Amino acid sequence: MPKDRAPTRIQKKNRAAILEAALNVFSAHGFRGATVDQIAAEAGLSKPNLLYYFPSKEAIHTALLSGLLDTWLAPLHDLDADGDPMHEILSYIHRKLQMSRELPRESRLFANELVQGAPRIHEALSHDLKTLVNEKTKILTRWMDEGKIARLHPHHLIFSIWALTQHYADFDVQVRAILGDEDPFEGAEPFIDTLYRKLLTP
Amino acid sequence: MPKDRAPTRIQKKNRAAILEAALNVFSAHGFRGATVDQIAAEAGLSKPNLLYYFPSKEAIHTALLSGLLDTWLAPLHDLDADGDPMHEILSYIHRKLQMSRELPRESRLFANELVQGAPRIHEALSHDLKTLVNEKTKILTRWMDEGKIARLHPHHLIFSIWALTQHYADFDVQVRAILGDEDPFEGAEPFIDTLYRKLLTP
DNA sequence: CGTGAGTTTGACCAGATGGTCAAATCAAGA
DNA sequence: TCTTGATTTGACCATCTGGTCAAACTCACG
């Protein structure tokens, strides 16, 4: 294991390559389905060399998840209490859908973990995420009280946004099997936009 | 392997026990994450005994998936072209949400498979499912043409229903981590109902 | 009962997999 | 260039896992 001094050029490069490879493999096969050999091969390293940078398969997975959690929650984090309600929510939705399009591996990484009961991130869920969501539902509730948007169950409003946007990344195969050549996001964007405009208009 | 005569009492019991156990294990850990030993233990059989009834782990998985596919698609199948549009769609949604509540393991079984690229059911997706969906989107389109429901992209309308309802089964841990003691379906039912009433009203 | 088909199991195997280690190689600063 | 720490690797190990097999046991039926 490299010492914890300032990381060398090589350390930076290899750690990044490993995490990139791990994202590919874990998101495609889940934690159990991924093998260290596979990740090493994809990172262009031998297995022992990979294990020189991370102590175990689990450590890679953990590093990956915790490193991506911020990115993943950034859009919700940026929901601005002082902005225009409808605009803020539609922007949030837009960014989430954008992320499904541009970062589908990240979405599937979390989906894999969640669908199997989140054995490795239960912590983050019931603390960090819960705190963030509760903070934002307060804002939503205020907007509803002020009559700026329709009154709805704020938690379920957020769940619906997650469900609708991440569906396109997580269940990509199914969506494409049905749509054929048509670009899923081409139709999804206006559909979801229309849906929330209608839903949120008081 | 048992002969293919009429199944004996014991064969019926054990096959059923195996499929039930397999549903538990596969839905909780995915195909790769499940072990034959685990399934056998949960079914109350020894591993060789289990493999006397099914030739391989893969065979159990396949039998399970194909056996459940009909159940899973029944609600959409029952969408009646001659019924009242709004009522038909809301009924479909209601049944899908009910299934998320009552058959979450089945939902997660499919979710596990889909999120990893559906390596074992690509066939069924791009044929059976596609055919069924296209048949039903025709009905939806007709209803839109007749002005009975709002004009929307029919495929994305169906995707949205899948996403919103299955989210509660597939990402159950996350939903519960955030809601705490509150029953997710208590709030989900009226939320989703309201959402589609607003969305579909022309 | 007795018998043959149906059922169950302990012992076993081969390959996969996560991880270790000592030795070899490389890189950068004195 | 020399030295020392960083990096890389081949060989290896223990465990897990899907699957096999012959032998033992059990059940239903004549």
Side-chain angles (χ1 to χ4, degrees):
Chain A
M1 209 177 340
K3 300 296 164 58
D4 52 1
R5 302 178 192 171
T8 68
R9 176 181 54 86
I10 295 175
Q11 274 172 40
K12 273 187 180 175
K13 195 193 65 176
N14 284 344
R15 278 177 177 278
I18 291 168
L19 289 175
E20 169 69 16
L23 176 56
N24 278 333
V25 179
F26 282 134
S27 69
H29 305 286
F31 180 78
R32 187 63 155 60
T35 74
V36 176
D37 277 298
Q38 222 178 330
I39 298 171
E42 194 139 337
L45 300 174
S46 65
K47 183 168 60 167
N49 198 7
L50 179 150
L51 289 167
Y52 169 72
Y53 291 99
F54 289 89
S56 67
K57 180 182 173 181
E58 180 110 28
I60 303 173
H61 194 249
T62 303
L64 195 57
L65 282 170
S66 61
L68 288 172
L69 197 58
D70 287 343
T71 306
W72 203 241
L73 297 181
L76 182 55
H77 194 270
D78 292 350
L79 189 88
D80 183 3
D82 299 326
D84 172 66
M86 189 69 88
H87 176 263
E88 283 298 319
I89 297 174
L90 290 176
S91 290
Y92 172 52
I93 292 163
H94 182 80
R95 280 185 67 187
K96 282 294 287 178
L97 191 60
Q98 201 76 356
M99 286 180 71
S100 255
R101 185 180 215 159
E102 289 166 12
L103 308 175
R105 296 175 304 167
E106 284 79 349
S107 188
R108 284 193 285 268
L109 181 75
F110 287 110
N112 257 304
E113 188 65 11
L114 286 177
V115 83
Q116 292 181 15
R120 278 166 285 273
I121 53 165
H122 215 283
E123 201 78 356
L125 282 188
S126 53
H127 185 251
D128 301 20
L129 180 59
K130 185 176 182 175
T131 303
L132 176 62
V133 168
N134 281 338
E135 181 190 318
K136 298 305 181 180
T137 50
K138 261 186 209 152
I139 299 173
L140 293 173
T141 303
R142 209 195 70 217
W143 287 342
M144 292 174 195
D145 290 342
E146 297 171 355
K148 301 282 181 58
I149 56 174
R151 179 164 301 285
L152 297 161
H153 191 308
H155 284 111
H156 289 282
L157 175 56
I158 290 182
F159 294 156
S160 75
I161 294 170
W162 291 349
L164 283 179
T165 55
Q166 293 174 11
H167 185 86
Y168 290 95
D170 299 344
F171 304 126
D172 180 77
V173 256
Q174 181 173 248
V175 169
R176 289 185 194 274
I178 289 169
L179 288 183
D181 286 333
E182 187 182 340
D183 175 10
F185 294 93
E186 210 72 35
E189 172 95 53
F191 175 87
I192 295 177
D193 194 79
T194 302
L195 188 155
Y196 282 101
R197 280 184 196 282
K198 282 199 177 190
L199 178 64
L200 293 171
T201 300
Chain B
M1 207 177 342
K3 300 296 164 59
D4 52 2
R5 302 178 192 172
T8 68
R9 176 179 55 87
I10 295 175
Q11 274 172 39
K12 273 187 181 174
K13 195 193 65 176
N14 284 344
R15 278 178 178 278
I18 291 169
L19 290 175
E20 169 69 16
L23 176 56
N24 278 332
V25 179
F26 282 134
S27 69
H29 305 287
F31 181 78
R32 188 63 155 60
T35 75
V36 176
D37 277 299
Q38 223 179 331
I39 299 171
E42 194 138 337
L45 300 173
S46 65
K47 183 168 61 168
N49 198 7
L50 180 150
L51 289 167
Y52 168 70
Y53 290 99
F54 289 89
S56 69
K57 180 183 174 182
E58 180 109 27
I60 304 173
H61 195 249
T62 301
L64 195 58
L65 282 171
S66 61
L68 288 172
L69 197 58
D70 287 343
T71 307
W72 203 241
L73 297 182
L76 183 55
H77 195 272
D78 292 351
L79 189 88
D80 183 4
D82 299 325
D84 172 66
M86 189 69 88
H87 176 263
E88 283 297 319
I89 298 173
L90 290 176
S91 290
Y92 172 52
I93 291 163
H94 183 80
R95 281 185 67 186
K96 282 293 287 178
L97 192 60
Q98 201 75 356
M99 287 181 70
S100 257
R101 186 179 213 160
E102 290 166 12
L103 308 175
R105 295 175 304 168
E106 285 79 349
S107 188
R108 284 193 285 266
L109 181 75
F110 287 110
N112 257 303
E113 187 65 12
L114 286 177
V115 82
Q116 291 180 17
R120 276 166 287 274
I121 53 165
H122 215 282
E123 202 78 358
L125 281 189
S126 53
H127 186 252
D128 301 20
L129 181 59
K130 186 174 183 176
T131 303
L132 176 62
V133 168
N134 281 338
E135 180 190 321
K136 297 305 180 180
T137 51
K138 262 186 210 151
I139 298 172
L140 293 173
T141 303
R142 209 195 68 217
W143 288 341
M144 292 173 194
D145 290 343
E146 296 171 355
K148 301 283 181 59
I149 56 174
R151 178 163 303 284
L152 297 161
H153 192 307
H155 284 111
H156 289 282
L157 175 55
I158 291 181
F159 294 156
S160 74
I161 295 171
W162 292 349
L164 283 179
T165 55
Q166 293 174 10
H167 185 85
Y168 290 94
D170 299 344
F171 303 127
D172 179 78
V173 256
Q174 181 173 248
V175 168
R176 289 183 194 276
I178 289 168
L179 288 183
D181 287 333
E182 187 182 339
D183 174 11
F185 294 93
E186 209 72 35
E189 172 96 53
F191 176 87
I192 295 177
D193 193 79
T194 302
L195 188 154
Y196 281 102
R197 280 183 197 281
K198 282 199 177 189
L199 177 65
L200 293 171
T201 301

